[in-house]
Amino acid sequence: MSRPGYMFLICPDAELLHANIAELQEKYGATDYEKKVYWADEDLPQQFWDDLTLQTLFGSSKVVILRRAHKLKAAVWDNIDKTVASLASSSFLFICLESQWKSKAAPIPAVLKKRKCWKFADKQKWFWKSAGLDQKSISGFVGKWARANGLHIDSPVLNALSQALPKDARAARLELDKLDLAAGPDRKILMEHVGLIAHSEEMDFFAFMRSMSEGGDPVEIWRRVLTNHSEKDSMIFMLTASLTREARALWMMIHGEDAEVRLPPFVKKQKQALAQRLGPARITRLFDIVMEAEIGIKTGQRKPEQALELLVASLTSLFAPPQRRR
C-alpha cells in the first residue's frame, strides 16, 4: 500500500496519538523505520529539516514526529509548506496538533488552514482526528484493548467499566493493566474486577503532585489525602520515588545542568520556573523530607498512612508561596 508523505494527527491525548502513530506505521509497513521526535515548543533544529528532505547514505527510512505543532508560528508553517513539497521518499512525517477541543469541530489553527500542505492533506484525507476519550468513545477504546489482549467482556461489565475508567488514555490503560492481571487464565473481565479501578474520589497521584508543586489550595490537597482510603500504603512509596526524581532534576536545573535533564521542552520550562522559585535550600530540603518518611516506615516508627500525612504536611509548607509560609 502506498503511504502518504505526511499526515496531520489532531488530538489532545498524547497516549492516543502514540497508539495511532503505531497503527499507521503498521498499516503502511513503516514499523522498522527509525523514529525521530521533535517539539514545536522550541526552535526546530536543522536536523529536523534534514530528516525531512535528505536521503540517508544507506537508504534507511525515518518516521519524523512533530509534537505540539499547534504552537508553531506562521513563518515555520511557511517553511513546512515548502519542505513537504520536496519531502524525501524515505521520510514519513506526522504533524501533531494537540490543543483541546472546545466544540465538535477539530481545532485547526487559522494560520495552518491557509497553507497548501493542509489543503492538500484535507483533500487526500491525510489526517486523523479525535477529541480524546469521553463517555461515548471510551467503550470502543476498552473493546479494542480487550480484543488486542484476548480478553472477553460482557456488555454489562463493559458499561460499568466505561463509567468507572478515567477519560485519559494513559491513566485508563494503567487501570486496564490491573484488570488484565486479574482476568487470569480464563481471560474474562468480571463485574467484580471493576472494583479494582481507582474511582474519581481516589487520589490521582500525578494531579496531586502537580497541585502541590504549583502551590495549590492546601484544603483541597488535604481533602484528597484524607479521603483516599485504598491507596495510602502504596501512595507513600510512589510519592517518595517521584519526589526523589523531581528533586534531582530541580537540583540539576538550579546548578546549570539543564541539558542533562531529559524532558519535553514545555515540561522543562515549568520545572525550571519551579527550581528558581524554590531555590537551592528548599530543593535540598526535599531530599530530607523523603529520607525522614522512608526511615520512619522502615524503622516501624510510623505507619505508611502516618508517614504520608506528615510528608504531605511538609510538602504543603515547602511548596507554598512565601506569604503562606509565614
Side-chain angles (χ1 to χ4, degrees):
M1 179 186 295
S2 62
R3 65 165 175 79
Y6 63 95
M7 290 192 69
F8 286 94
L9 308 180
I10 311 156
C11 180
D13 192 311
E15 181 71 14
L16 293 180
L17 284 172
H18 175 78
N20 191 257
I21 288 172
E23 289 178 9
L24 289 168
Q25 284 185 257
E26 185 172 355
K27 177 180 178 180
Y28 292 108
T31 53
D32 59 345
Y33 285 19
E34 180 186 5
K35 186 177 289 187
K36 306 290 286 291
V37 181
Y38 296 93
W39 297 84
D41 301 83
E42 59 184 12
D43 293 337
L44 293 172
Q46 182 58 43
Q47 186 62 48
F48 169 75
W49 306 103
D50 290 347
D51 282 336
L52 296 181
T53 57
L54 299 182
Q55 200 78 28
T56 58
L57 183 62
F58 299 103
S60 60
S61 298
K62 293 185 288 288
V63 163
V64 182
I65 302 169
L66 180 58
R67 294 288 310 275
R68 297 175 64 81
H70 61 285
K71 296 282 189 178
L72 292 175
K73 300 288 192 282
V76 183
W77 281 121
D78 287 339
N79 288 336
I80 289 177
D81 220 13
K82 297 173 185 175
T83 301
V84 297
S86 56
L87 200 64
S89 60
S90 59
S91 298
F92 191 4
L93 172 63
F94 293 103
I95 303 173
C96 303
L97 307 173
E98 303 177 46
S99 55
Q100 294 291 329
W101 292 41
K102 296 181 180 178
S103 66
K104 292 183 178 180
I108 311 300
V111 69
L112 172 59
K113 289 181 179 179
K114 304 174 184 177
R115 300 298 186 274
K116 293 179 182 178
C117 61
W118 169 255
K119 291 178 180 178
F120 187 73
D122 189 33
K123 183 178 180 180
Q124 298 295 321
K125 306 300 181 186
W126 286 357
F127 62 84
W128 169 81
K129 58 184 179 179
S130 169
L133 296 181
D134 57 22
Q135 200 58 51
K136 290 183 179 179
S137 63
I138 197 164
S139 59
F141 175 83
V142 175
K144 187 175 182 179
W145 167 83
R147 289 189 295 274
N149 289 277
L151 291 159
H152 177 75
I153 307 177
D154 290 333
S155 293
V157 179
L158 179 60
N159 291 336
L161 282 176
S162 299
Q163 293 290 332
L165 284 167
K167 305 306 182 283
D168 171 85
R170 178 168 175 75
R173 284 191 188 279
L174 290 172
E175 297 297 335
L176 290 171
D177 285 344
K178 296 181 190 176
L179 305 188
D180 191 359
L181 292 172
D186 292 338
R187 309 305 291 155
K188 185 173 183 178
I189 304 298
L190 305 175
M191 189 64 78
E192 64 194 59
H193 294 147
V194 179
L196 297 173
I197 295 172
H199 294 276
S200 59
E201 283 303 309
E202 300 297 336
M203 188 183 300
D204 177 341
F205 174 70
F206 296 103
F208 170 72
M209 274 292 297
R210 186 169 59 249
S211 180
M212 283 195 298
S213 66
E214 294 175 355
D217 180 2
V219 174
E220 174 62 14
I221 291 171
W222 274 105
R223 184 194 70 78
R224 298 177 78 170
V225 172
L226 296 173
T227 59
N228 177 60
H229 300 297
S230 68
E231 299 285 338
K232 282 182 178 173
D233 286 3
S234 60
M235 182 63 65
I236 181 64
F237 298 111
M238 290 173 63
L239 188 53
T240 54
S242 180
L243 279 171
T244 301
R245 291 192 299 271
E246 182 87 351
R248 285 174 184 156
L250 295 174
W251 183 261
M252 293 168 73
M253 288 178 174
I254 203 73
H255 287 87
E257 299 178 31
D258 304 53
E260 300 301 316
V261 180
R262 304 297 182 186
L263 291 170
F266 70 100
V267 176
K268 184 178 283 191
K269 287 179 182 177
Q270 294 174 349
K271 300 295 185 187
Q272 287 168 334
L274 177 59
Q276 292 298 324
R277 181 163 70 82
L278 289 177
R282 283 198 285 161
I283 294 174
T284 301
R285 176 63 183 143
L286 271 176
F287 290 105
D288 294 336
I289 290 171
V290 170
M291 186 178 297
E292 289 166 5
E294 291 183 341
I295 289 175
I297 296 171
K298 290 174 182 177
T299 59
Q301 293 178 345
R302 298 190 184 104
K303 296 179 180 179
E305 181 175 340
Q306 294 171 323
L308 175 62
E309 293 177 4
L310 287 170
L311 182 67
V312 173
S314 298
L315 292 173
T316 302
S317 175
L318 184 75
F319 283 123
Q323 63 270 24
R324 196 183 292 165
R325 295 198 304 271
R326 293 174 185 170

